[in-house]
């Protein structure tokens, strides 16, 4: 079924486009045209095409285990449960003899709070304090070795590639499991550094039988936790997790074993797997959106008075080129939830021919190419960046220049325009055009996404992003069910337009 189009045509000269889209470089447009064999005297025009509806929407949930070496998370948020897995190895024959004979032996984990996250100015004050009694399921795999030296055994274990280990975790079959309760507590400006998690007696019994070297994999799961808890991972040189083994109240294994790698495993609990829902944070879900070619090609035919698609010669359409392109869709933040209350960027990528990706050889496949983001100063200063969710307004605008350029050039093969969306980082420069981490050279007024006004003084750093992911959830059904608007900036090579 044909979609009704409302076509609005606006003519822009080169300098006007330069100031709008290339404001960081006054010569940017001329250079861009010159690099592509387009004299800068060619006219640049804009074409707006309304009432575009997606022909297909595909959701790709990212359930792959991820490294937790730097930031480790445990708990439940946004319909996702995040399990935490530790890979440890140790050997201490003398201590294990003492532990095996003791009736008071035990073991516990020490997890250090990720203090830079919880103490950050951007961490929402209404999220503290919390004092949660959390039921945690501990499951484990234990392997022992009496034949090889510990060094040889440890080298053998650590030679297992992380990717192989992650794959094995998706088929986790434990040697045992048991539940325990952990107190998760934090207050504002908390000086508490760590959480103690006592390991189940069933596991301690197995640990007491260890002779020689041990390879222990521990998995923690807290599906009923009221929030997500963040800890340092094993990559921390100061606060790595520790496995504490003791034979009595004064005798401990020293040095304390630390995991040599860690992982997070995600369980998705969404009831509608085909719905247009994305999760953020350490989860890289993607939404692949396909829009039909017909309304775009019909609009171009009416605009230029030529036939589209172009089918002469090699069928590559070089009569015009896309300098810039964007698509605007409806946005409803009430269908999303986030942890930090900050705006979050939506990252866009387009599917283009591999020929456009110089490091790839296969020319008959299409690959996702992440789009470059150009600043529109006037709009940013008045309304903020337009590729954000959880901020003022009711629309989302994504820039898709690579994708539309490729689509128009090769539309004769019947392809449609296809792009992807995923949730990016929490954004701290909502109405600023700096768009980079910047050292302030003079006193600067900063208005946060929540409307709070602060002043940065000389030599303060103004950050582009908050340094930690927000494990957010966003339902894009409103965007996918309502008409979208495409806007193209076009430079024409037609002889009668020079």
């Amino acid at each position: 079924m044909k979609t009704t189009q409302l076509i609005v045509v606006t003519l822009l000269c080169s300098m006007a486009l330069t100031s709008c889209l290339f404001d960081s470089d006054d010569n940017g447009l001329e250079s861009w045209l010159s690099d592509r064999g387009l004299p800068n005297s060619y006219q640049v025009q804009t074409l707006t095409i309304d009432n575009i509806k997606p022909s297909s929407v595909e959701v790709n949930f990212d359930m792959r285990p991820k490294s937790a070496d730097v930031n480790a998370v445990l708990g439940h948020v946004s319909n996702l449960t995040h399990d935490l897995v530790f890979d440890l190895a140790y050997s201490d024959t003398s201590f294990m003899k003492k532990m095996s004979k003791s009736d008071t032996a035990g073991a516990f984990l020490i997890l250090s709070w990720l203090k830079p996250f919880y103490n950050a100015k951007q961490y929402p004050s209404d999220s503290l304090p919390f004092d949660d009694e959390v039921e945690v399921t501990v499951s484990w795999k234990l392997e022992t070795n009496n034949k090889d030296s510990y060094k040889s055994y440890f080298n053998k274990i650590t030679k297992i590639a992380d990717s192989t280990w992650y794959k094995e975790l998706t088929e986790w079959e434990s040697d045992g499991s048991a539940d325990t309760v952990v107190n998760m507590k934090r207050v504002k400006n908390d000086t508490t550094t760590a959480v103690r998690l006592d390991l189940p007696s069933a596991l301690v019994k197995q640990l007491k039988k260890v002779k020689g070297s041990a390879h222990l994999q521990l998995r923690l799961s807290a599906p009923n936790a009221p929030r997500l808890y963040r800890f340092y991972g094993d990559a921390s040189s100061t606060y790595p997790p520790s496995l504490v083994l003791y034979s009595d109240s004064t005798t401990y294994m020293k040095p304390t074993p630390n995991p040599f790698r860690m992982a997070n495993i995600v369980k998705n609990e969404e009831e509608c797997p085909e719905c247009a829902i994305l999760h953020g944070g350490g989860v890289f879900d993607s939404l692949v959106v396909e829009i039909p070619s017909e309304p775009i090609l019909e609009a171009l035919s009416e605009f230029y008075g030529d036939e589209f698609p172009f089918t002469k010669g090699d069928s590559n359409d070089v009569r015009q080129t896309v300098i810039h392109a964007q698509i605007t869709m409806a946005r409803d933040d009430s269908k999303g939830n986030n942890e930090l209350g900050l705006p979050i960027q939506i990252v866009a990528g387009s599917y283009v021919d591999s020929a456009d990706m110089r490091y790839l050889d296969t020319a008959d496949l299409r690959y996702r190419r992440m789009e470059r983001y150009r600043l529109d100063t006037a709009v940013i200063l008045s309304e903020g960046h337009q590729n954000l969710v959880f901020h003022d307004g009711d629309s989302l605008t994504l820039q898709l220049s690579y994708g539309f350029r490729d689509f128009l050039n090769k539309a004769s093969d019947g392809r449609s325009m296809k792009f992807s969306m995923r949730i990016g980082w929490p954004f701290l420069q909502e109405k600023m055009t700096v768009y980079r981490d910047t050292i302030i050279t003079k006193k600067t007024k900063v208005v946060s996404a929540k409307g709070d006004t602060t002043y940065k003084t000389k030599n303060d750093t103004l950050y582009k992003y908050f340094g930690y992911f927000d494990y957010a959830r966003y339902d894009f059904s409103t965007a996918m069910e309502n008409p979208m608007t495409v806007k193209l900036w076009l430079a024409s090579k037609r002889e009668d337009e020079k």
Side-chain angles (χ1 to χ4, degrees), residues 315-360:
S315 298
N316 287 328
D317 192 350
V318 294
R319 296 172 296 177
Q320 67 285 311
T321 191
V322 175
I323 291 179
H324 185 71
Q326 63 188 37
I327 190 166
T328 300
M329 60 192 74
R331 174 168 60 85
D332 184 359
D333 287 351
S334 69
K335 293 185 177 181
N337 60 275
N338 60 354
E339 296 178 284
L340 305 175
L342 296 170
I344 300 178
Q345 275 194 328
I346 300 301
V347 181
S350 292
Y351 287 82
V352 300
D353 273 5
S354 59
D356 292 337
M357 308 291 281
R358 297 180 181 179
Y359 54 86
L360 295 169

Side-chain angles (χ1 to χ4, degrees), residues 151-388:
K151 182 177 180 180
S152 175
Y153 184 56
F154 182 74
N155 287 340
K156 178 183 177 181
I157 295 169
T158 55
K159 282 182 180 179
I160 298 173
D162 290 347
S163 58
T164 301
W165 185 58
Y166 296 151
K167 185 177 180 180
E168 292 173 350
L169 292 179
T170 63
E171 301 172 355
W172 176 271
E173 293 183 6
S174 67
D175 295 336
S177 67
D179 294 334
T180 187
V181 175
V182 184
N183 179 241
M184 302 287 193
K185 181 178 181 179
R186 283 201 73 78
V187 298
K188 190 174 182 180
N189 299 320
D190 204 332
T191 58
T192 304
T193 59
V195 171
R196 170 172 169 160
L197 191 153
D198 287 293
L199 297 180
S201 58
L203 173 57
V204 173
K205 287 181 180 180
Q206 292 189 29
L207 295 177
K208 290 174 66 175
K209 298 176 182 178
V210 170
K211 296 179 180 179
S213 303
H215 178 203
L216 175 64
Q217 298 179 73
L218 282 175
R219 178 171 179 170
L220 308 182
S221 182
N224 297 316
R227 71 191 83 241
L228 199 65
Y229 307 99
R230 307 198 191 203
F231 306 99
Y232 283 101
D234 63 279
S236 171
S237 59
T238 309
Y239 304 106
S242 299
L243 172 64
V244 181
L245 303 172
Y246 60 91
S247 58
D248 56 51
S249 60
T250 61
T251 308
Y252 297 84
M253 177 187 286
K254 296 181 180 179
T256 301
N258 304 121
F260 57 87
R261 63 183 162 198
M262 295 169 58
N264 273 121
I265 301 177
V266 179
K267 180 182 178 182
N268 190 313
E269 297 168 0
E270 295 290 350
E271 296 180 354
C272 179
E274 69 278 4
C275 291
I277 294 171
L278 293 183
H279 300 89
V283 181
F284 298 103
D285 291 353
S286 65
L287 199 64
V288 179
V289 183
E290 192 169 4
I291 59 177
S293 60
E294 289 82 1
I296 299 170
L297 298 178
E298 289 175 9
L300 285 163
S301 293
E302 185 173 337
F303 183 62
Y304 282 119
D306 295 336
E307 288 189 8
F308 283 82
F310 181 77
T311 56
K312 297 179 181 179
D314 62 4
S315 298
N316 287 328
D317 192 350
V318 294
R319 296 172 296 177
Q320 67 285 311
T321 191
V322 175
I323 291 179
H324 185 71
Q326 63 188 37
I327 190 166
T328 300
M329 60 192 74
R331 174 168 60 85
D332 184 359
D333 287 351
S334 69
K335 293 185 177 181
N337 60 275
N338 60 354
E339 296 178 284
L340 305 175
L342 296 170
I344 300 178
Q345 275 194 328
I346 300 301
V347 181
S350 292
Y351 287 82
V352 300
D353 273 5
S354 59
D356 292 337
M357 308 291 281
R358 297 180 181 179
Y359 54 86
L360 295 169
D361 297 325
T362 308
D364 60 346
L365 296 176
R366 298 175 75 189
Y367 289 84
R368 185 180 64 184
R369 182 175 184 178
M370 302 314 295
E371 290 283 352
R372 180 182 178 185
Y373 179 61
R374 296 183 181 277
L375 304 178
D376 188 337
T377 301
V379 173
I380 292 169
L381 292 175
S382 63
E383 303 174 27
H385 290 265
Q386 297 299 290
N387 61 346
L388 303 175

Side-chain angles (χ1 to χ4, degrees), residues 1 3-6 48-55 289 291-292 295 327-331 394-397 419 476-486:
M1 181 180 68
T3 304
T4 302
Q5 300 94 22
L6 171 64
T48 300
I49 312 166
D50 291 333
N51 297 318
I52 301 293
K53 288 192 175 181
S55 55
V289 183
I291 59 177
I327 190 166
T328 300
M329 60 192 74
R331 174 168 60 85
D394 58 5
S395 65
L396 172 70
T397 297
F419 65 95
F476 286 93
S477 59
T478 297
M480 298 301 114
E481 292 167 0
N482 285 277
M484 302 179 183
T485 298
V486 170

Side-chain angles (χ1 to χ4, degrees), residues 34-221:
S34 177
D35 289 346
R36 287 154 181 79
L38 293 169
N40 56 32
S41 59
Y42 280 153
Q43 191 177 54
V44 175
Q45 301 167 293
T46 63
L47 171 63
T48 300
I49 312 166
D50 291 333
N51 297 318
I52 301 293
K53 288 192 175 181
S55 55
S56 71
V57 178
E58 179 185 351
V59 184
N60 296 305
F61 288 136
D62 178 20
M63 296 294 99
R64 299 168 298 169
K66 303 290 192 307
S67 170
D69 294 341
V70 178
N71 298 326
V73 296
L74 173 67
H76 182 272
V77 69
S78 300
N79 289 350
L80 299 181
T81 294
H82 298 261
D83 291 1
L84 190 55
V85 186
F86 308 81
D87 205 2
L88 303 111
Y90 62 89
S91 180
D92 187 331
T93 305
S94 176
F95 172 81
M96 293 311 299
K97 286 181 179 179
K98 296 177 184 178
M99 186 175 180
S100 65
K101 298 176 183 179
S102 173
D103 294 330
T104 58
F108 58 88
L109 275 176
I110 292 292
L111 302 176
S112 297
W113 291 108
L114 189 60
K115 291 192 292 183
F117 171 76
Y118 288 105
N119 294 340
K121 293 179 180 179
Q122 292 81 11
Y123 185 76
S125 58
D126 58 0
S127 294
L128 294 175
F130 60 77
D131 188 353
D132 305 329
E133 294 294 321
V134 181
E135 185 176 284
V136 178
T137 298
V138 182
S139 57
W140 61 87
K141 293 182 179 182
L142 179 62
E143 179 185 83
T144 60
N145 185 292
N146 295 320
K147 299 178 181 179
D148 303 320
S149 66
Y150 174 66
K151 182 177 180 180
S152 175
Y153 184 56
F154 182 74
N155 287 340
K156 178 183 177 181
I157 295 169
T158 55
K159 282 182 180 179
I160 298 173
D162 290 347
S163 58
T164 301
W165 185 58
Y166 296 151
K167 185 177 180 180
E168 292 173 350
L169 292 179
T170 63
E171 301 172 355
W172 176 271
E173 293 183 6
S174 67
D175 295 336
S177 67
D179 294 334
T180 187
V181 175
V182 184
N183 179 241
M184 302 287 193
K185 181 178 181 179
R186 283 201 73 78
V187 298
K188 190 174 182 180
N189 299 320
D190 204 332
T191 58
T192 304
T193 59
V195 171
R196 170 172 169 160
L197 191 153
D198 287 293
L199 297 180
S201 58
L203 173 57
V204 173
K205 287 181 180 180
Q206 292 189 29
L207 295 177
K208 290 174 66 175
K209 298 176 182 178
V210 170
K211 296 179 180 179
S213 303
H215 178 203
L216 175 64
Q217 298 179 73
L218 282 175
R219 178 171 179 170
L220 308 182
S221 182

